[in-house]
Structures are given as structure tokens and as C-alpha cells.
Amino acid sequence: MKQLAIIVPEGENNLSSIVGPYKIFSRANAHWGERGKIKLFDIHLVGTSKEVDFYDGLFCVRPRVDMAKMERADLIIVPSLNHNYEAAIENNRKLIHWLRERYNKGSEIASICTGAFLLAEAGLLHGKTCSTHWAASPDLRQRFPTVDIRTEKLITDQDGIYTNGGAYSFLNLMLYLVEKYYDRETAIFCSKVFQIEMDRQSQSSFIIFKGQKMHGDELVREAQAYIEGNTHEKISISDLSSKFPVTRRQFDRRFIRATGNTPLDYVQRVKMEVAKKELETTRKTISEVMYGVGYADEKAFRDVFRKVTGLTPLDYKNRYNNEMASLN
């Protein structure tokens, strides 16, 4: 029988991403048995303490298995962390060492949301693709520059390492793992029981782009301020770079190093964030929104919007604008 370890890290981290995997895999096991099959997983809550409190002691979790005594785990699930990533890493050094050791001995590991910080600290994401919550991605990128962060992706799967995006999107990762370890029928069953949409692949439409400002390059800060203050204009990157005492190549390199985006990508993301707000809160037509963010070519606007959000402008408006949805 396979062994599933759901980790209970030290610290007040995310309770739902411990309970959720436990419930879904327990139900998958039960359904597997109802179909006349032998239970696939033994499910264990694993930690280094006998009890971990959550939400100022309102809840607590009691791991049944001491991590030091669990020598075999076929699949390990790491829940999401609170936003004090530095403290979470320091408080879980034993866990980080254990994850590295287990992976090297053949365990597969799935991280939920910001649980990716623990995998990255263990060195397990070096050179690999990784997703996490879009709001945490600048911190993760700054601390672990060798990780290929793909915040547009809901799930990544590479070399026995699984990661996923933010918040309750972990439910989709659980369905993905259920299908991988059990079968499609069991995943569909769990989808229906827990009412989780199957086969979601992107979290792009949920991303709020705030601009990467966690750097010390004043020239790039000035360029960012210009872009964000002139979203209604068509911005030429050549003209923008000429405002500063550097060559175009130097400007591009400094911008990418500071923000993780090319100047063009940054302009597009800033403009699309403005367009999203307009589509969410006004009755403007797609064309009016397009002209308002400096685009004259409707196809170009739609292509960039879809690249950034994963949706067409009309689909986005229908999904997020309550007033428009009520008219449909």
C-alpha cells in the first residue's frame, strides 16, 4: 500500500490546505474501495510536534506520525504557509532536510501555494518550473532566482515535483493527483462530490499585477513610474529608454534584472491591469477600454489581453462585471 504524508509544518500556517487534502484523498480511498479495489493510500498527518495551533489556538492539529520515524512516503503534500516566509523557513529546518532526503530516496512531493518556499529552500526547485500564489511570486523570485516561476500556471509537474497556484486552487491540484494516482473516474467522482471544476489549467485571470518594486534600481523605478502614469498613451520602449543615460541594451538588461519582466512585458501588464479594472467596474465597450489604454489595433489588444489573463476581454467582462452579468 502507498504511503501519503500530509505535512503539518511548525507555525500558524494554512489549516485548510491540510484538511482539504486529507478529506479529498480519504474520499478517493473510499470510492476506490466501493469499486472493489484495495485501498490505495495510507494517509498520515506528519510533523515534528505532537500538536500545532492555528488561528491563536482556536484550532489545533495533532500529527499522528513523527516525521523522524516515517522512513517511507510515496507522496508528500506540503501545505501553504503564512506570509512570514523567513520565519516559516527557520522554524521548519528539520522538515526541509527531511523533504530533501525523502525526494532523493524516491518520494514525490506536492507543494500547495506558498509551500513552494520550503521546497525551494530544500533545493528541490532549482532549475524547475514552479507555480505559487501570484502575490508571493516576487518574494519567491527574489529569494530563489534559479527557480522558473510560472504564476500563470495553476499546476506544474516536473520530475516528481508538483506545485500549484494560490489559495483554494489547491483543490485542483488534489484532483490532478487523484487522477494521476487513482484514475480519471475517481477524479471525476471527487470533482462532483466536492464540487470542484475539473481540468483548470490557469490562474492568470486572478492575478492582480502591482508591478515589481522590490529592487533598488532608481532608474528602473523612474521608468516604472512613467509607464504607470501614461497608460493611455502608446509607449515606445525605444523612446522610453532614451529618457535615461543608458543604451537601449543596458536599459533592457537593468529592467529585466530588477523586475523579472522585459520593458515591453511590463508595459503590457500595466495596461492590461487598467483594462481589467475598466471591464470589471464600467459599462464601457471593449473598443472604449482598448483606446483608453493606448491601443488602436483591436486584434493586438485582444491578443495581449488573452496572453495576460487567459480570457478574451468579453469573457473577462462577462465573468467579473456584475452589472453586465445581470443583463445577460
Side-chain angles (χ1 to χ4, degrees):
M1 187 177 298
K2 294 183 183 298
Q3 303 299 308
L4 169 60
I6 300 173
I7 301 302
V8 184
E10 293 298 305
E12 290 201 13
N13 295 298
N14 190 296
L15 179 60
S16 63
S17 62
I18 296 171
V19 176
Y22 182 84
K23 291 284 290 181
I24 291 173
F25 272 89
S26 295
R27 195 66 189 87
N29 258 353
H31 180 67
W32 198 246
E34 289 162 5
R35 292 167 59 195
K37 299 176 182 287
I38 299 172
K39 186 172 71 169
L40 188 63
F41 275 109
D42 270 339
I43 304 171
H44 310 281
L45 295 187
V46 178
T48 56
S49 298
K50 292 183 178 180
E51 183 173 298
V52 179
D53 286 337
F54 292 82
Y55 308 112
D56 297 321
L58 186 61
F59 304 99
C60 74
V61 175
R62 300 184 180 93
R64 296 292 180 88
V65 178
D66 186 324
M67 184 178 296
K69 297 179 180 178
M70 189 163 191
E71 297 184 355
R72 176 189 157 216
D74 296 279
L75 175 62
I76 300 167
I77 296 176
V78 180
S80 60
L81 309 173
N82 63 43
H83 291 175
N84 190 342
Y85 310 123
E86 192 74 37
I89 288 171
E90 289 307 313
N91 291 337
N92 287 283
R93 287 292 173 187
K94 291 181 181 179
L95 166 59
I96 290 166
H97 175 77
W98 186 81
L99 290 172
R100 185 187 305 118
E101 185 179 69
R102 289 298 99 211
Y103 181 71
N104 289 336
K105 290 185 177 181
S107 297
E108 294 197 327
I109 304 177
S111 74
I112 291 172
C113 190
T114 52
F117 279 82
L118 297 184
L119 267 63
E121 185 68 19
L124 302 183
L125 296 179
H126 176 73
K128 291 186 175 69
T129 58
C130 166
S131 188
T132 189
H133 196 293
W134 54 263
S137 62
D139 288 335
L140 187 64
R141 183 176 285 110
Q142 183 179 49
R143 186 177 180 106
F144 304 103
T146 65
V147 178
D148 182 12
I149 299 170
R150 304 286 186 89
T151 50
E152 79 282 2
K153 288 184 174 293
L154 197 70
I155 295 167
T156 67
D157 175 347
Q158 186 176 359
D159 301 331
I161 297 286
Y162 310 92
T163 69
N164 90 284
Y168 285 90
S169 70
F170 79 83
L171 298 171
N172 296 97
L173 174 60
M174 294 305 104
L175 289 186
Y176 182 87
L177 293 173
V178 166
E179 180 172 355
K180 190 177 186 75
Y181 277 92
Y182 295 82
D183 57 17
R184 178 75 174 179
E185 181 181 335
T186 305
I188 291 172
F189 174 80
C190 289
S191 168
K192 292 178 178 179
V193 168
F194 293 102
Q195 299 188 39
I196 307 166
E197 183 180 348
M198 285 286 291
D199 299 325
R200 279 184 57 209
Q201 298 296 322
S202 173
Q203 62 173 346
S204 294
S205 66
F206 299 103
I207 295 173
I208 301 173
F209 186 74
K210 296 182 178 180
Q212 295 91 334
K213 305 293 175 60
M214 297 173 61
H215 61 81
D217 193 323
E218 190 56 37
L219 181 149
V220 175
R221 285 184 184 275
E222 289 181 29
Q224 289 174 288
Y226 179 86
I227 292 168
E228 291 163 13
N230 293 274
T231 55
H232 58 288
E233 296 181 0
K234 181 177 181 180
I235 298 175
S236 162
I237 304 303
S238 295
D239 290 344
L240 176 61
S241 65
S242 69
K243 297 179 184 293
F244 303 98
V246 292
T247 66
R248 168 67 188 275
R249 180 171 293 183
Q250 290 172 328
F251 177 77
D252 288 351
R253 287 176 177 172
R254 286 177 65 169
F255 203 101
I256 293 168
R257 185 168 59 246
T259 70
N261 290 111
T262 66
L264 178 59
D265 284 341
Y266 196 89
V267 168
Q268 290 177 342
R269 285 186 171 274
V270 168
K271 286 177 175 287
M272 292 309 107
E273 197 60 35
V274 173
K276 284 160 60 180
K277 291 294 183 186
E278 292 288 287
L279 292 170
E280 290 166 10
T281 60
T282 74
R283 300 188 68 179
K284 289 182 181 179
T285 65
I286 305 300
S287 294
E288 288 172 327
V289 172
M290 175 186 73
Y291 292 129
V293 292
Y295 279 80
D297 184 327
E298 186 172 334
K299 183 180 185 304
F301 173 71
R302 290 177 185 276
D303 287 348
V304 173
F305 192 93
R306 186 158 200 162
K307 181 183 76 171
V308 170
T309 68
L311 299 171
T312 67
L314 182 58
D315 287 341
Y316 189 91
K317 189 176 184 71
N318 287 338
R319 178 177 293 189
Y320 291 108
N321 190 308
N322 284 339
E323 184 176 357
M324 297 305 297
S326 67
L327 296 176
N328 291 336

